Amino acid sequence: MAIVHEFEYFKPGSVDEVVKLLSDYGKDAAVLAGGTDLVVRVKDGFETPKAVVDIKGIEELKRFEFKDGHLFVGALVTFNELIDSEVVRKNFPVLWEASKSVASMGIRNRATLVGNMCSAVPSLDSGPAVLLYEANVVVKGPSGERKIPVLDWFLGPRKTALEKGEMVVGVSLSVLEKRHGGAYIKLGRYDGEDLAQVGVGVLAIEGNEYRVAFCAVGPKPVRARKIEAILSGKELTESVMEEAMAAVVDEISPITDIRATREYRMHMSKVMLKRALRAAVSRLKGEGPEYGTRLI
Amino acid sequence: MEELKYVGKSFTRLDERDKVTGAARYVDDLDFGPNLLYAEIVESPYPHALIKSIDTSEAEKVPGVVKVVTGKDFPYRFGLYMHDRYVFAQDRVRFIGEQVAAVLARNPKAAKKAAKLVKVEYEELPYVLDQMEALKDNAPIIHPDLANYWHVPWYFPKPGTNIAHWRKVRKGDVEKAFAEADFVFEDTYRVPRYAHCCIEPHISVALYDYSGRITVWSSSQSPHTQRNLFAQALAPLGISHKDIRVVVPYVGGGFGGKAGVSMEILAVALATVVKGHPVKVRWTRAQEFYNTYMRQALVSKIKVGVKKDGTIVALKNELYWDAGPYAEYGANVVNAAGLSATGPYRIPNVWIDSICVYTNKPAAGPYRGFGYSETHFAIESHMTRVAKMIGMDPVEFRRKNAIRRGDPVAYGAPMNPNGLIEAIDKVAKEVEWGKKEESKDPNKVIGKGFAIFWKAPAMPPNTSSAAFLKFSEDGSINIVVSGMEIGQGYMTVMAQIAAEILSVPIEKIRVELPDTDRNPYEWQTVASHVTWSCGNAVKRAALDAREQIFEVVHQAYHLEKETLYLEDEKVKCKTDPEFQLPLKDFVINGIQTHDGTYRGGPILGRGIFMPEFTTTVDDPETSQGGHPNVHYTVGAGAVVLEIDKETGKMRVLKAVEAVDAGKAINPDLVKGQINGGLLQGLATVLYEDMRFDDKGKVLNPNFTDYKIPTAMDVPKEIVPIIVEVPQPDGPFGARGISEHTMIPAAPMVANAVEDALGIRIKSMPVTAEKVALAILQGKKEVE
Amino acid sequence: MKKKITFKLNGEMRSVEVEPNDILLEVLRGKLGVKTPKYACGRGDCGACTILLNGKSVRSCLIFAIEVDGAEIVTLEGLSKDGLTPLQESFIEHNSFQCGFCAPGMTLTATELLEKNPHPTEEEVKEAIAGNLCRCTGYVSIIEAILDASKKQ
């Protein structure tokens, strides 16, 4: 398990120091938070940074605050912290449900929401949730702070809108104005921890408004605008559901790999969309199934 | 029949405290001092290629590197049942990942760095990855020298081909029987490769000290067999067995994968070139997948003929096994499974061809079940289909044809006493066979599947176990044996047997882990045979000790030996209730007589067990005439499977398994084997899925993509059932069960899928994806 | 560039020199005499390397040693120091472990669970230990022991 590749390790005390290091090293720097993604990639030789910048010593990045209807999730907030938060469970249940599906206890005690979003792997569990809640990625760089709407954040497999010298300090989510129900369903090969072969996230918002997002079935997680248009303003009848499911094929481009075939992914995307929508509507009404229940 | 005090009770395991507190030491936990060298292996990137040149010059320059070796330093061929394997590849490589060279360095980073700098030039050769392709006339020949390989007399390799071994079983006249049968059905089933996935990877540390002794610490099921193979492999060095010492601390799982010798030979070979330095070779998880034994892949073409009333009259089974390029152990899987590839049925006319085929995929060898899990997928799937096709209930069909005591098996020897009918009945009752269940969820259907199974230990006819048993001053006991505690609870069972004979409580008994310098011989801890074989040896050692105890009491007190008995750690006398002599008073120090002199001394029991009725002498064209297997353990299993028709996802609502343990010496441990084995079996059929690229490279050598069960995957309900029809020559009637518990899992799931959906899936794994796509495509059968 | 790190390990302050690319699991095992966290996969998939870092169960194979400067680590050795915990007694009573290789990681995860959630349901127990792979037992005896220990709390 020895790592041959050598690098320098930094543990700065402020965001400004991080920005300086990232500007100096550019592509040769890697930000280290939980390490559950980075360390494996360094071991496998897929990442060979010259500088590893450990951000765990920066207090402000631990900020996990709900104020005036806005939730700020700092870069160091872990998935288990999200799960333990009543605020998240109540106000952003799809993010809560997605967090529960990530890996296992020992990983979730380290893995961060921001780290997941920065990895931008096509199968990331947080992808659909942050797209549905239209979060903003709060970034700090050499030219100061900026907010990147999450809809502009994911650019491709392991590619984000982050520019040289920039780091993500947190993600902010705003509580929806209207009541909503939602669901995140993840396809795995068995009942234990797995990377999503398909991920479907759905919001059913009061007034027959819907939001739909997919992950693991394209180079990046996406909002399914066509499906949302079909559903918009309508009651979820059988025929509306069928129309929505038929549109899935236009929204996603799954591949065949060692985890699943294109055919199964396409099929499951439809099935999972259907079940997610039904669950979301039911939860909007205040009925079950409880968030966290297995739907497939 | 006296009531047993220790045997049959679920005592706390002897090793449980060690494991719960973290005191248990495994090989990688041992410290070897600052002289320890670390090895990094240079591996072949090609499935089949000639090695043109190896340049180690750059690697040698890396600071910390002590030595770089290649195949030419170890021109040795070796193997357990056939010498077809190499310590390091010689003139050619035969699978992706095969060891070509190695770097020895003072620290792991230097070793790894240097290994990358070893330059190997290859000339690619045509390769073959599938056993059916490898049998074709124009297939590349993987062992051109096959004719010159030593092998045991019961292997039949075919030089000039890729056939490492061909076991033929011919009984009666199948063609005539098929012609006369009322119904004949034939089909083909496919089982792919699987991996053991012991949580502890393989590891070996070896030291060739300055006096020329070799000491090896390895995570192994077979210390004495390892010692033997090391001696053979390094014969040119002329090291006597007594100067090779194999020490095995606790082992983190074996499942057959740590039997024989696989990567351990590397540490030993490397140690010989760096005298005085211990060398550690620790496998990564990836190497664990592609460079230890895998489970063979199988294509089984099976044909069964029956009468109208369901009586089986004939069975033909053509088994084609993909064994990888080295079949020294794997060919015995082919042999053993082949001899018994009828399943536990009474069949008068049998034709079996079990063919071990070389391919350029990683080497395959022993895995829990030793070929029987693979063959039973085909047999038990097929029997259910045959039963249904003639309108008979699949359980009734099995009851009717179940092999009974005394019936001849495929090679003619008589079947031992067994509780197969009882197992069938109990499982059928527990799972409410015949009662159709409905799911409350409109998307789901529920099906039930049934399977029966058998297996005999697959061993040479002269395997043996030996035990020493010694007392200490306080009357406590050390049992010194070379069986291996790989998790199955073997140590505890040995202690319980000794406790029963000697009336010493379990808490006062230790069972020592193997050290070939000190512990007497045990062939291997495989084949589910140590409870029976070593149990017999320990029982004999205990009886021997008891005889010595009675003898010295007789000499000192003049009491007749027939009147003596042991109870509560004392010698007592039936005819003199006053006489109670504590063992601790004399088991070391002897008994002082009336004139002040002593009789006795240290009580030291000795026991040896080797079956005297087994033989592999048979007709190679028919396999008739021999008695290769000591006895069979039988059982039955059933599953209640809930399937979501939209997603294909299957969940086990209830899994029931009955196994005939003869006598469950520790029922808790038997249940532990049922729970663990069933889950391992269910995983092979439901989601374990080994993937190769088109060159034979393992694409998922990790737990990220080769999924083994987690706590979330445990069936809703598991019902273990212990049947006890005594094994006449077993200790207290016991026979082994550990491998068997896995065997029925795959076919009972496939049968449940057919029951629920009317879809017959004839290949493993039976994944949710396969089921969902079959439903979508309206298929009734999936190849 | 070697750096000296200092941290609390099983109640005692320890110091060791590490390179940035040294993995915590290997440093604990190779340099600090702590043998219970095990190498079994190196990718965080199996849980055998689990330790408690500042009270939380984490995969020590996915942490650079240099990251734990100033931290507090507990391994199974630390738990067993002053006698067995009720959870450990329960494991023994139930004959929970077979080969024992998963036991240290499993025990730390279960310890964390019972501290956080003293009376978990069976489902919650399974979810909590889902990241600790066991190939031998089929998990039944482990789950029973944890539930039993929780009842006695």
Side-chain angles (χ1 to χ4, degrees):
Chain A
M1 210 183 43
I3 297 177
V4 169
H5 172 74
E6 287 172 17
F7 53 84
E8 274 190 83
Y9 170 86
F10 299 95
K11 194 167 181 186
S14 72
V15 173
D16 286 334
E17 284 172 61
V18 176
V19 169
K20 174 109 189 16
L21 283 164
L22 295 181
S23 307
D24 289 344
Y25 280 92
K27 278 196 166 50
D28 288 326
V31 172
L32 173 66
T36 55
D37 188 44
L38 180 66
V39 177
V40 187
R41 287 175 67 74
V42 170
K43 279 183 178 182
D44 287 344
F46 292 135
E47 295 238 15
T48 49
K50 292 208 176 94
V52 166
V53 182
D54 186 349
I55 59 170
K56 292 194 285 294
I58 303 171
E59 279 309 305
E60 67 166 278
L61 298 177
K62 296 181 187 161
R63 187 159 75 95
F64 186 27
E65 197 180 14
F66 187 56
K67 201 168 136 188
D68 301 329
H70 300 286
L71 176 68
F72 183 80
V73 180
L76 291 176
V77 175
T78 64
F79 279 110
N80 266 352
E81 282 180 77
L82 291 174
I83 294 168
D84 288 342
S85 158
E86 257 310 293
V87 162
V88 172
R89 201 171 71 83
K90 247 186 76 181
N91 297 287
F92 306 99
V94 178
L95 178 60
W96 186 86
E97 202 166 50
S99 299
K100 280 210 74 160
S101 78
V102 171
S104 57
M105 275 303 284
I107 299 289
R108 291 195 301 267
N109 274 332
R110 293 277 286 186
T112 61
L113 170 65
V114 166
N116 195 224
M117 291 172 66
C118 287
S119 79
V121 289
S123 59
L124 87 167
D125 291 306
S126 63
V130 295
L131 288 173
L132 293 172
Y133 289 119
E134 293 176 358
N136 282 297
V137 185
V138 183
V139 161
K140 231 182 186 156
S143 24
E145 190 176 286
R146 67 185 178 115
K147 280 201 168 84
I148 307 176
V150 78
L151 296 165
D152 300 329
W153 173 252
F154 298 105
L155 300 182
R158 292 199 176 267
K159 267 193 85 192
T160 68
L162 209 59
E163 314 230 317
K164 179 175 175 187
E166 288 185 320
M167 78 161 284
V168 176
V169 297
V171 173
S172 85
L173 300 101
S174 306
V175 173
L176 298 179
E177 280 172 21
K178 302 194 195 145
R179 282 179 53 248
H180 76 278
Y184 174 67
I185 306 183
K186 170 176 178 174
L187 175 63
R189 285 163 282 194
Y190 62 156
D191 286 343
E193 77 177 83
D194 204 353
L195 298 165
Q197 283 103 66
V198 175
V200 180
V202 154
L203 295 184
I205 303 171
E206 218 168 22
N208 289 328
E209 204 193 307
Y210 302 88
R211 295 184 194 174
V212 175
F214 289 95
C215 71
V217 284
K220 50 185 188 154
V222 289
R223 281 278 293 273
R225 301 292 187 185
K226 295 194 182 93
I227 295 176
E228 290 176 10
I230 290 169
L231 297 169
S232 176
K234 304 202 184 88
E235 288 280 339
L236 207 52
T237 61
E238 274 307 308
S239 63
V240 168
M241 184 72 91
E242 266 171 43
E243 219 190 318
M245 285 166 69
V248 166
V249 71
D250 298 321
E251 300 276 33
I252 62 175
S253 50
I255 58 168
T256 292
D257 64 14
I258 59 172
R259 296 180 187 142
T261 59
R262 193 185 162 280
E263 291 74 22
Y264 188 55
R265 286 180 149 128
M266 188 63 87
H267 167 71
M268 285 304 290
S269 297
K270 296 180 195 161
V271 173
M272 286 157 66
L273 173 67
K274 176 171 68 167
R275 294 194 186 183
L277 283 170
R278 287 227 174 94
V281 165
S282 177
R283 287 163 174 170
L284 168 61
K285 290 196 199 129
E287 290 154 20
E290 260 188 60
Y291 284 101
T293 309
R294 223 172 253 293
L295 295 174
I296 55 164
Chain B
M1 219 354 218
E2 263 175 52
E3 215 214 87
L4 297 168
K5 212 168 157 205
Y6 295 100
V7 166
K9 307 252 162 60
S10 293
F11 284 97
T12 300
R13 294 171 63 113
L14 259 59
D15 54 336
E16 196 66 23
R17 184 167 283 258
D18 280 356
K19 288 164 180 177
V20 166
T21 58
R25 284 282 173 269
Y26 304 81
V27 174
D28 197 44
D29 300 333
L30 305 174
D31 287 311
F32 294 93
N35 245 355
L36 178 65
L37 299 179
Y38 299 84
E40 186 76 23
I41 309 295
V42 177
E43 298 170 342
S44 162
Y46 299 112
H48 201 197
L50 296 172
I51 300 172
K52 303 301 280 180
S53 68
I54 307 181
D55 178 1
T56 62
S57 53
E58 286 305 305
E60 285 165 26
K61 294 183 195 146
V62 173
V65 168
V66 168
K67 208 161 184 112
V68 184
V69 300
T70 70
K72 61 172 167 47
D73 296 304
F74 308 102
Y76 312 127
R77 230 176 340 100
F78 76 102
L80 182 60
Y81 297 114
M82 175 151 73
H83 288 174
D84 70 352
R85 255 177 79 195
Y86 300 88
V87 180
F88 281 92
Q90 296 296 298
D91 64 324
R92 70 187 65 194
V93 289
R94 294 182 171 86
F95 70 94
I96 295 181
E98 184 168 8
Q99 57 275 23
V100 170
V103 173
L104 291 168
R106 294 252 167 221
N107 64 77
K109 286 181 194 173
K112 201 165 175 189
K113 202 170 180 180
K116 290 194 191 167
L117 297 173
V118 174
K119 295 187 197 58
V120 186
E121 237 187 270
Y122 295 95
E123 182 189 305
E124 286 185 72
L125 295 170
Y127 58 91
V128 62
L129 300 175
D130 170 275
Q131 64 269 49
M132 308 315 291
E133 290 299 312
L135 286 170
K136 291 196 175 142
D137 285 329
N138 54 355
I141 299 300
I142 295 173
H143 285 276
D145 272 338
L146 187 54
N148 301 327
Y149 294 173
W150 170 87
H151 58 82
V152 290
W154 71 86
Y155 269 22
F156 306 110
K158 306 283 174 241
T161 73
N162 284 319
I163 296 175
H165 173 48
W166 187 334
R167 165 60 61 186
K168 296 179 187 172
V169 182
R170 311 277 185 263
K171 184 167 91 142
D173 185 341
V174 288
E175 293 313 320
K176 181 160 177 284
F178 282 134
E180 290 169 2
D182 293 323
F183 180 75
V184 176
F185 180 58
E186 180 176 18
D187 212 337
T188 301
Y189 302 83
R190 282 163 225 280
V191 180
R193 297 284 195 109
Y194 284 95
H196 307 70
C197 300
C198 312
I199 304 300
E200 183 205 17
H202 281 64
I203 180 171
S204 186
V205 178
L207 167 67
Y208 186 41
D209 68 28
Y210 293 108
S211 74
R213 274 208 100 204
I214 295 183
T215 308
V216 185
W217 296 261
S218 59
S219 178
S220 167
Q221 298 174 229
S222 319
H224 276 88
T225 288
Q226 289 213 327
R227 184 180 72 163
N228 192 32
L229 285 173
F230 295 151
Q232 280 180 23
L234 299 175
L237 291 179
I239 305 176
S240 158
H241 280 65
K242 73 166 180 20
D243 288 322
I244 300 176
R245 178 184 182 201
V246 179
V247 177
V248 184
Y250 282 111
V251 169
F255 310 105
K258 292 178 180 167
V261 167
S262 59
M263 55 73 80
E264 298 84 4
I265 190 72
L266 295 171
V268 176
L270 292 171
T272 62
V273 300
V274 281
K275 240 180 179 172
H277 293 78
V279 171
K280 179 188 282 201
V281 186
R282 186 180 86 178
W283 247 209
T284 64
R285 177 55 57 182
Q287 287 167 314
E288 191 67 19
F289 275 96
Y290 62 73
N291 199 356
T292 58
Y293 294 120
M294 275 193 187
R295 199 176 90 168
Q296 279 85 352
L298 170 68
V299 172
S300 170
K301 190 167 156 198
I302 181 169
K303 183 173 177 180
V304 169
V306 295
K307 291 216 277 258
K308 265 197 295 272
D309 69 354
T311 310
I312 303 174
V313 295
L315 176 145
K316 183 172 183 186
N317 203 348
E318 291 164 81
L319 305 158
Y320 303 96
W321 303 81
D322 156 24
Y326 303 113
E328 41 94 27
Y329 208 144
N332 201 33
V333 172
V334 173
N335 191 67
L339 285 170
S340 306
T342 54
Y345 295 98
R346 179 180 32 204
I347 307 178
N349 301 286
V350 175
W351 174 298
I352 298 172
D353 282 310
S354 191
I355 303 174
C356 180
V357 186
Y358 285 125
T359 68
N360 293 113
K361 280 199 171 137
Y367 180 123
R368 189 177 198 169
F370 216 68
Y372 286 68
S373 290
E374 300 88 298
T375 57
H376 277 69
F377 176 69
I379 296 167
E380 286 303 282
S381 295
H382 204 70
M383 292 303 187
T384 285
R385 297 171 79 190
V386 168
K388 284 172 142 184
M389 286 169 176
I390 60 170
M392 198 168 178
D393 173 76
V395 172
E396 205 36 56
F397 180 81
R398 288 173 167 87
R399 247 191 221 105
K400 187 181 180 62
N401 290 290
I403 193 163
R404 287 161 215 262
R405 174 188 190 157
D407 285 338
V409 300
Y411 47 86
M415 179 63 182
N416 50 281
N418 68 87
L420 184 53
I421 298 293
E422 189 184 335
I424 293 173
D425 288 342
K426 287 188 166 159
V427 170
K429 182 155 180 255
E430 180 63 44
V431 85
E432 294 184 287
W433 185 259
K435 180 167 159 222
K436 179 84 183 138
E437 292 190 33
E438 302 291 333
S439 176
K440 293 185 218 97
D441 187 327
N443 283 324
K444 299 187 174 143
V445 286
I446 298 178
K448 293 184 183 175
F450 202 95
I452 59 177
F453 60 90
W454 72 344
K455 180 187 180 283
M459 318 185 286
N462 56 349
T463 54
S464 58
S465 303
F468 290 141
L469 187 152
K470 62 188 183 93
F471 279 91
S472 297
E473 290 89 327
D474 65 347
S476 62
I477 291 175
N478 298 76
I479 299 176
V480 193
V481 280
S482 292
M484 198 56 234
E485 175 58 69
I486 50 175
Q488 82 284 54
Y490 151 82
M491 276 177 157
T492 309
V493 168
M494 296 302 113
Q496 287 180 250
I497 291 172
E500 193 68 53
I501 307 282
L502 294 167
S503 84
V504 174
I506 309 282
E507 304 77 58
K508 280 180 88 165
I509 302 180
R510 272 185 59 89
V511 178
E512 305 305 327
L513 289 164
D515 172 341
T516 58
D517 268 2
R518 294 162 173 72
N519 302 38
Y521 185 83
E522 172 63 56
W523 174 62
Q524 300 196 73
T525 297
V526 297
S528 310
H529 89 291
V530 286
T531 290
W532 175 76
S533 175
C534 195
N536 274 329
V538 168
K539 187 170 176 212
R540 288 177 179 181
L543 289 169
D544 184 34
R546 189 176 74 178
E547 175 55 32
Q548 293 170 37
I549 288 167
F550 290 166
E551 177 61 33
V552 69
V553 167
H554 164 72
Q555 286 190 23
Y557 292 96
H558 307 295
L559 294 167
E560 290 306 315
K561 285 197 275 190
E562 305 80 62
T563 66
L564 299 174
Y565 65 100
L566 293 173
E567 191 179 65
D568 297 332
E569 302 182 75
K570 302 185 179 78
V571 183
K572 296 184 178 174
C573 180
K574 291 185 207 135
T575 53
D576 181 359
E578 302 274 303
F579 183 81
Q580 293 199 11
L581 183 64
L583 290 171
K584 64 180 164 62
D585 285 357
F586 67 94
V587 284
I588 291 291
N589 297 313
I591 303 176
Q592 191 177 35
T593 63
H594 62 273
D595 67 359
T597 60
Y598 287 85
R599 299 288 175 276
I603 304 293
L604 188 59
R606 175 191 92 130
I608 295 165
F609 181 79
M610 184 180 83
E612 291 182 346
F613 58 93
T614 41
T615 164
T616 50
V617 176
D618 61 22
D619 179 347
E621 289 305 310
T622 64
S623 296
Q624 301 303 311
H627 195 147
N629 292 323
V630 294
H631 54 254
Y632 286 85
T633 296
V634 301
V639 70
V640 181
L641 194 68
E642 182 187 62
I643 309 178
D644 185 321
K645 287 180 292 183
E646 285 190 323
T647 66
K649 278 188 171 275
M650 293 160 282
R651 297 217 162 79
V652 176
L653 297 179
K654 189 173 190 176
V656 182
E657 188 177 283
V659 68
D660 180 1
K663 174 74 185 174
I665 296 187
N666 186 319
D668 239 15
L669 299 184
V670 174
K671 288 182 187 152
Q673 292 303 297
I674 294 177
N675 287 332
L678 253 185
L679 192 58
Q680 194 173 8
L682 289 170
T684 60
V685 69
L686 292 171
Y687 40 81
E688 282 186 34
D689 196 352
M690 181 98 67
R691 297 291 180 101
F692 294 87
D693 71 7
D694 57 12
K695 284 199 124 154
K697 179 174 173 188
V698 178
L699 290 171
N700 53 344
N702 53 61
F703 293 134
T704 307
D705 284 313
Y706 184 91
K707 291 305 194 187
I708 68 173
T710 70
M712 302 291 287
D713 302 291
V714 180
K716 228 159 156 249
E717 195 186 349
I718 300 185
V719 180
I721 298 171
I722 299 175
V723 169
E724 290 179 313
V725 172
Q727 178 59 34
D729 60 358
F732 300 98
R735 65 174 85 75
I737 55 94
S738 293
E739 291 171 277
H740 309 69
T741 58
M742 193 172 160
I743 298 173
M748 69 195 200
V749 166
N751 289 338
V753 169
E754 187 185 61
D755 183 49
L757 300 169
I759 299 176
R760 171 54 65 176
I761 299 182
K762 300 186 287 189
S763 63
M764 283 169 71
V766 178
T767 57
E769 181 176 299
K770 244 185 208 172
V771 170
L773 293 180
I775 295 173
L776 272 179
Q777 293 157 11
K779 286 192 165 158
K780 288 292 163 209
E781 265 180 47
V782 176
E783 296 297 328
Chain C
M1 241 321 259
K2 270 193 172 334
K3 180 173 180 222
K4 180 164 154 213
I5 58 170
T6 302
F7 60 98
K8 206 175 204 180
L9 177 58
N10 292 326
E12 189 190 335
M13 293 310 291
R14 305 289 298 271
S15 287
V16 65
E17 285 211 336
V18 298
E19 308 255 353
N21 62 8
D22 283 336
I23 294 291
L24 178 61
L25 173 65
E26 300 296 346
V27 171
L28 287 172
R29 292 178 54 80
K31 299 212 170 122
L32 295 168
V34 167
K35 301 295 186 182
T36 60
K38 310 287 187 203
Y39 168 80
C41 80
R43 295 170 61 93
D45 288 326
C46 74
C49 69
T50 302
I51 60 170
L52 292 175
L53 175 63
N54 299 333
K56 295 202 167 31
S57 67
V58 296
R59 308 283 181 252
S60 65
C61 75
L62 293 184
I63 299 175
F64 297 119
I66 203 167
E67 293 177 63
V68 305
D69 193 23
E72 193 170 330
I73 292 178
V74 173
T75 66
L76 188 60
E77 285 95 333
L79 231 54
S80 307
K81 231 180 359 171
D82 301 312
L84 300 181
T85 65
L87 174 65
Q88 287 176 299
E89 298 279 7
S90 191
F91 281 141
I92 292 176
E93 232 180 273
H94 286 262
N95 273 332
S96 289
F97 298 111
Q98 292 185 21
C99 85
F101 208 70
C102 75
M106 190 74 75
T107 304
L108 293 179
T109 300
T111 300
E112 182 195 38
L113 167 69
L114 293 178
E115 268 166 28
K116 238 180 131 173
N117 183 357
H119 302 287
T121 63
E122 186 175 329
E123 201 51 40
E124 286 169 334
V125 170
K126 288 177 174 176
E127 262 182 34
I129 64 171
N132 290 86
L133 297 180
C134 169
R135 195 55 159 165
C136 297
T137 66
Y139 301 100
V140 177
S141 53
I142 295 172
I143 296 166
E144 279 172 3
I146 298 172
L147 285 171
D148 212 11
S150 77
K151 288 193 187 95
K152 295 184 180 141
Q153 279 193 151

